[in-house]
Amino acid sequence: MYNNIYMIVAATEKSRAIGIDGQMLYHLPEELKYFKETTDGHTIVCGRRTYHTFNKKPLPNRKNIVLTRSNEKFENAYTMNSKEEVLDYAENHPEELIFIVGGDNVYSQFINHAKRLYVTEIEENFPALADSFFPRFDPDDYTVISESKSHKNEDNISYKYVVYEKK
Ligand SMILES: NC(=O)c1ccc[n+]([C@@H]2O[C@H](COP(=O)([O-])OP(=O)(O)OC[C@H]3O[C@@H](n4cnc5c(N)ncnc54)[C@H](OP(=O)(O)O)[C@@H]3O)[C@@H](O)[C@H]2O)c1
């Protein structure tokens, strides 16, 4: 586990769904603000497919690192070619907070290395139609260090912000 690796995700509470057809599942404008405030000024790491959802532009005021096994280069973003390269980077930059921001594939590889999980838990009355998921984790391995009140978006979808810290 790395004290300076965190994860941030918006997932449905039961099936842990996070996306479909390369896109997010819900329109949660306030949640995007929360994401921005939480990651602002820090380093983010994402898979190549998630990076493409940013319209190929890095997220501002954050060091953007894109994971790819190809030779593709991204303007104004750093590229890394393996999980180990990211872990070495984290070890050599203890002063930086590194947020893993998805997607599915990348969350699965890093969940056991992350100290904190910033999870936006979205109410789910029936299983969401999705093809990308956040990995399941054992809540007993974590302490909940904060939990917000419930918020609603314009479509009456309820969600809350929960922060888990690895014990
Ligand atoms: N709800 C949320 O909070 C949230 C957040 C982020 C993403 N998402 C959703 O997640 C979905 C995308 O997830 P995904 O799993 O399909 O794609 P992804 O994780 O974004 O990207 C996968 C790509 O990342 C690269 N990669 C992954 N692991 C690597 C490694 N160890 N070394 C080098 N390169 C590596 C590979 O790129 P190459 O193919 O170029 O080699 C791989 O094809 C979308 O639906 C998106 O909307 C949701």
Side-chain angles (χ1 to χ4, degrees):
M1 209 234 328
Y2 293 68
N3 284 335
N4 59 336
I5 296 185
Y6 292 0
M7 276 190 174
I8 184 160
V9 66
T12 62
E13 59 184 2
K14 296 194 187 93
S15 51
R16 297 276 164 195
I18 64 165
I20 188 160
D21 293 336
Q23 298 303 318
M24 303 282 281
L25 289 178
Y26 299 100
H27 182 58
L28 304 174
E30 290 298 324
E31 203 271 336
L32 293 178
K33 263 195 231 160
Y34 171 78
F35 175 91
K36 184 176 179 303
E37 283 164 15
T38 307
T39 60
D40 195 48
H42 301 301
T43 298
I44 60 165
V45 175
C46 66
R48 193 251 318 151
R49 288 193 209 127
T50 294
Y51 190 69
H52 283 167
T53 68
F54 309 159
N55 297 324
K56 297 197 184 177
K57 272 201 298 209
L59 298 184
N61 204 34
R62 280 149 283 191
K63 188 183 280 181
N64 287 231
I65 296 175
V66 187
L67 262 174
T68 177
R69 295 186 180 87
S70 77
N71 294 323
E72 194 173 347
K73 296 283 174 238
F74 304 90
E75 212 177 315
N76 297 319
Y78 296 84
T79 306
M80 292 195 184
N81 299 114
S82 67
K83 174 174 115 174
E84 290 66 33
E85 205 178 333
V86 176
L87 296 179
D88 282 350
Y89 182 87
E91 196 161 326
N92 292 320
H93 295 80
E95 73 291 355
E96 282 183 35
L97 259 189
I98 299 167
F99 281 87
I100 307 294
V101 302
D104 178 328
N105 197 285
V106 172
Y107 288 133
S108 307
Q109 297 175 60
F110 286 93
I111 190 158
N112 290 332
H113 300 292
K115 174 77 177 166
R116 281 192 192 172
L117 312 177
Y118 287 73
V119 186
T120 299
E121 295 187 346
I122 304 165
E123 183 184 54
E124 189 174 29
N125 297 321
F126 50 89
L129 188 61
D131 58 14
S132 298
F133 298 87
F134 192 70
R136 293 208 172 271
F137 59 89
D138 186 345
D140 290 345
D141 294 341
Y142 294 84
T143 306
V144 173
I145 59 169
S146 76
E147 182 166 346
S148 76
K149 64 179 175 57
S150 181
H151 301 262
K152 272 188 201 294
N153 79 348
E154 69 277 15
D155 298 321
N156 234 18
I157 305 274
S158 298
Y159 58 95
K160 62 182 177 183
Y161 307 119
V162 186
V163 182
Y164 296 88
E165 188 165 275
K166 195 93 168 259
K167 285 178 184 164

